[in-house]
Structures are given as structure tokens and as C-alpha cells.
């Protein structure tokens, strides 16, 4: 309900482990996603919604999300995450993190160097259990994340295949991005963040394509907002979506997609536009457009350009 404080935890990425207060509009702010409505849903359904949004937006390949209330003063200590035994223990003064970790028995896949502790007053800490053993407070919520893998570089966000790329000696920003399939059409090559330990390093392609990487690092490619597209299909080298630039015409879109000029059939082009609930289909000639005998129509978002098809409905 509005005003409630909740903890959001993500097994795969600690950046999405946050504590939030539900606003009067029933929404909470999620990193990289913005405001998400959660007030009218159960904790499980809210977790499913956030998980789905993270995956659908390309931010994570898999998102195991947990949503739970943040208890007030006098509440038990709760431990969740990559452990064999999830705990909810009555608070006793002086209890340390190492004691409850021993009881919870972290899994082999657990990353105990990035343990998240959320306090009832909203403070959050990231603890390396090999270096620190803090006393816990009543109402603390402890989350043990999954390990990202020391032998991999995680590539997330606006790439064609977000994944963990096996690390190899001499790996660079460019080679890691290539291993993840390169930039997706909505990926912003100028807004890349490299997470190295607790440091965030802004990078850009191709200016820093040779930036050297280390094991266990994470690359996040931001998504461009308000991008519009048209589809080009048929006798072109690169079928699929292309970004619709202001004033782009049909012939420009066909050329960008790599129209096959060696095939006489490629002269015939169908422009399919969506007008409300109806479709408008117009047949044009690229040669006539090039000779200025026919106007070169300016495209609109979601137009489809079919090159070389006799019938765009059948694709023949």
C-alpha cells in the first residue's frame, strides 16, 4: 500500500537490490526502469512484474526478483538469497553477520563479497564477508546475491544477446560486445557503463573500443529512448528494423538496408502504412524514384517497405 517500505532484491544483479517507499500513486522507482506500479499487487506478483520488465527491456537475460516488506524497529532479522537455509531470526543484541551466515549456509554459487544489508531506516550497505563482520540491528534484512562468475564478463542492456562472456586474456570492450552479438537497434553506443569493483566507468564506442577488461566485470549498454523504426524486407542484404531518422524516404531506407540492385525484381517496391485500423498499400518503382518521375515518399513510424515482392501479402 502507499507509504509502505519494501525491499526489492535481484539474484543476478545487486544494482537492482533496493529499498523503496511506495508513493501515493502506488509506484516505486526501479533503477534503469523508472516508476513501476506495485501497490495493488501481492509481493509475488509485484516481483514477477519487475522481473518481466527487466527481461523484456533487455537489461537482464534472467531476473530472479524478490519483494518483501521492510520491518520496523523490533522486528526479526531476515536473511534471503543464495543460501541453503533462509532465515527469520529473533533479534538478540550483538549478533554478527558471520553467525547468521554460518547458520544459513551460503550456496556454492553465492557471492559473499557483495552481501546487501538493508536497515529499517532505509540505509543500505554492501559487505564483503571476508573483510568485515558487522553487528546486525533488529529489523535488518540481509540478502546474499549469486556470483556473477570470476571467469566471465557480463554484458547487459542494449545488445543482441545479453550474456556472460567467458573471459579471455586481452579481452577489450569491443571484443566483449561482439561476443554478445553487438549493439541491439535500441542500444546506445555512446552510453556504456563498465562496473569494475565498486567503480562505474563511463565508456563510449568506437572511441574506447580497445579499453582493456578484467575478470568479473560488468558492461551495461544503455537503451535509447523514443526511437522510431520502419521495417524493410525482401531483396535487401539486411532485412528487419532500421531506425527511422527525420525525413527518411523510401529509397533511403531501401538503400540503408542494402537493396539488391543486381536483381531486376528489386525495382518493384511496396510501401505498407498503418492508418488507424486499416492498411494502405502503394506500389512504387525505385528506378522511377531515382529518375524523379515518381515522388520519393517520406516514411512514418511502423511503415513496412517490401522490396521485390509481387504481392507483399504472400511474400512472392
Amino acid at each position: 500500500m502507499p507509504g509502505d517500505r519494501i525491499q526489492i532484491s535481484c539474484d543476478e544483479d545487486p544494482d537492482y537490490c533496493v529499498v523503496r517507499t511506495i508513493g501515493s500513486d502506488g509506484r516505486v522507482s526501479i533503477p534503469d526502469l523508472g516508476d513501476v506500479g506495485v501497490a495493488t499487487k501481492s509481493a509475488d506478483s509485484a516481483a514477477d512484474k519487475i522481473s518481466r520488465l527487466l527481461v523484456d527491456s533487455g537489461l537482464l537475460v534472467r531476473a530472479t526478483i524478490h519483494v518483501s516488506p521492510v520491518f520496523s524497529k523490533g522486528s526479526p532479522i531476515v536473511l534471503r538469497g543464495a543460501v541453503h537455509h533462509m532465515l527469520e531470526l529473533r533479534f538478540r543484541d550483538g549478533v554478527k553477520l558471520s553467525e547468521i551466515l554460518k547458520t544459513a549456509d551460503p550456496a556454492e554459487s553465492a557471492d559473499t563479497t557483495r552481501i546487501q544489508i538493508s536497515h529499517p531506516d532505509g540505509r543500505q550497505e554492501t559487505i564483503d564477508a571476508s573483510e568485515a563482520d558487522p553487528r546486525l540491528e533488529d529489523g535488518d534484512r540481509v540478502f546474499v546475491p549469486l556470483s556473477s562468475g570470476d571467469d566471465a564478463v557480463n554484458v547487459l542492456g542494449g545488445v543482441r544477446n545479453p550474456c556472460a562472456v567467458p573471459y579471455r586474456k586481452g579481452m577489450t570492450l569491443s571484443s566483449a560486445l561482439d561476443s554478445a552479438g553487438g549493439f541491439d537497434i535500441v542500444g546506445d553506443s555512446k552510453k556504456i557503463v563498465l562496473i569494475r569493483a565498486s567503480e562505474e566507468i563511463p565508456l563510449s564506442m568506437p572511441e574506447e573500443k580497445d579499453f582493456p577488461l578484467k575478470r568479473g566485470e560488468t558492461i551495461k549498454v544503455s537503451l535509447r529512448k523514443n526511437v522510431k523504426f520502419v521495417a524493410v524486407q525482401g531483396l535487401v542484404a539486411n532485412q528487419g528494423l532500421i531506425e527511422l531518422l527525420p525525413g527518411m524516404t523510401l529509397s533511403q531506407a531501401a538503400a540503408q538496408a542494402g537493396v539488391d540492385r543486381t536483381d531486376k525484381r528489386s525495382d518493384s517496391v511496396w510501401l505498407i502504412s498503418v492508418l488507424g485500423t486499416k492498411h494502405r498499400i502503394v506500389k512504387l518503382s525505385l528506378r522511377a524514384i531515382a529518375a524523379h518521375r515518381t515522388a520519393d515518399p517520406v516514411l512514418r513510424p511502423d511503415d513496412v517497405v517490401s522490396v521485390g515482392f509481387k504481392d507483399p501479402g504472400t511474400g512472392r
Side-chain angles (χ1 to χ4, degrees):
M1 296 180 62
D4 287 349
R5 289 182 64 78
I6 59 172
Q7 177 174 355
I8 301 166
S9 303
C10 176
D11 289 1
E12 290 76 18
D13 192 331
D15 286 354
Y16 302 108
C17 298
V18 294
V19 173
R20 292 290 187 263
T21 299
I22 300 177
S24 58
D25 59 355
R27 295 174 175 270
V28 295
S29 177
I30 308 295
D32 300 329
L33 287 178
D35 291 341
V36 176
V38 298
T40 61
K41 298 180 177 293
S42 68
D44 288 343
S45 60
D48 289 342
K49 179 177 182 180
I50 296 168
S51 174
R52 186 173 63 255
L53 289 172
L54 287 170
V55 172
D56 290 348
S57 64
L59 293 168
L60 294 176
V61 177
R62 182 179 63 181
T64 308
I65 299 296
H66 310 275
V67 175
S68 55
V70 174
F71 294 107
S72 59
K73 210 70 171 169
S75 297
I77 295 171
V78 177
L79 186 145
R80 297 286 187 267
V83 294
H84 290 111
H85 309 291
M86 296 189 184
L87 304 176
E88 186 166 327
L89 304 174
R90 183 181 298 276
F91 174 74
R92 63 176 174 81
D93 191 31
V95 66
K96 291 190 173 182
L97 176 63
S98 60
E99 295 179 60
I100 66 166
L101 281 179
K102 183 177 180 180
T103 303
D105 187 15
E108 292 183 5
S109 57
D111 185 353
T112 57
T113 67
R114 297 183 301 148
I115 293 176
Q116 309 286 319
I117 301 179
S118 300
H119 302 290
D121 60 5
R123 291 178 296 117
Q124 294 190 70
E125 297 180 82
T126 300
I127 301 295
D128 182 345
S130 66
E131 297 181 354
D133 189 16
R135 283 189 171 87
L136 299 177
E137 305 170 13
D138 54 340
D140 276 353
R141 301 185 68 82
V142 182
F143 180 77
V144 181
L146 287 169
S147 173
S148 61
D150 291 338
D151 294 325
V153 171
N154 297 300
V155 186
L156 308 174
V159 290
R160 290 191 178 92
N161 180 32
C163 61
V165 178
Y167 178 80
R168 7 179 234 285
K169 186 177 181 180
M171 179 176 279
T172 63
L173 176 63
S174 177
S175 61
L177 290 169
D178 287 344
S179 296
F183 293 105
D184 186 79
I185 193 168
V186 296
D188 192 339
S189 63
K190 302 302 180 184
K191 293 184 179 179
I192 303 171
V193 174
L194 175 69
I195 301 175
R196 172 172 289 175
S198 59
E199 181 182 8
E200 293 191 358
I201 303 172
L203 299 173
S204 176
M205 284 285 289
E207 293 83 358
E208 291 155 307
K209 62 184 180 66
D210 295 324
F211 191 93
L213 302 180
K214 299 179 180 179
R215 286 182 173 85
E217 295 183 332
T218 296
I219 298 168
K220 286 190 174 182
V221 178
S222 297
L223 303 181
R224 293 186 293 158
K225 298 181 179 179
N226 303 318
V227 183
K228 299 176 181 179
F229 306 99
V230 295
V232 184
Q233 60 187 17
L235 299 176
V236 293
N238 301 300
Q239 296 194 60
L241 297 178
I242 63 173
E243 183 179 354
L244 178 61
L245 301 176
M248 177 179 281
T249 64
L250 179 145
S251 63
Q252 290 172 338
Q256 183 171 323
V259 62
D260 185 358
R261 289 293 189 179
T262 64
D263 193 324
K264 293 181 179 179
R265 294 175 298 168
S266 66
D267 179 54
S268 297
V269 179
W270 297 83
L271 174 60
I272 307 167
S273 300
V274 178
L275 301 173
T277 60
K278 299 181 179 179
H279 290 74
R280 182 183 68 182
I281 302 177
V282 179
K283 186 178 181 181
L284 298 159
S285 164
L286 287 178
R287 280 200 293 265
I289 291 173
H292 303 291
R293 297 195 304 271
T294 302
D296 191 3
V298 175
L299 301 179
R300 301 185 307 175
D302 302 322
D303 280 353
V304 177
V305 178
S306 293
V307 180
F309 290 158
K310 293 182 179 179
D311 183 345
T314 64
R316 297 191 294 271

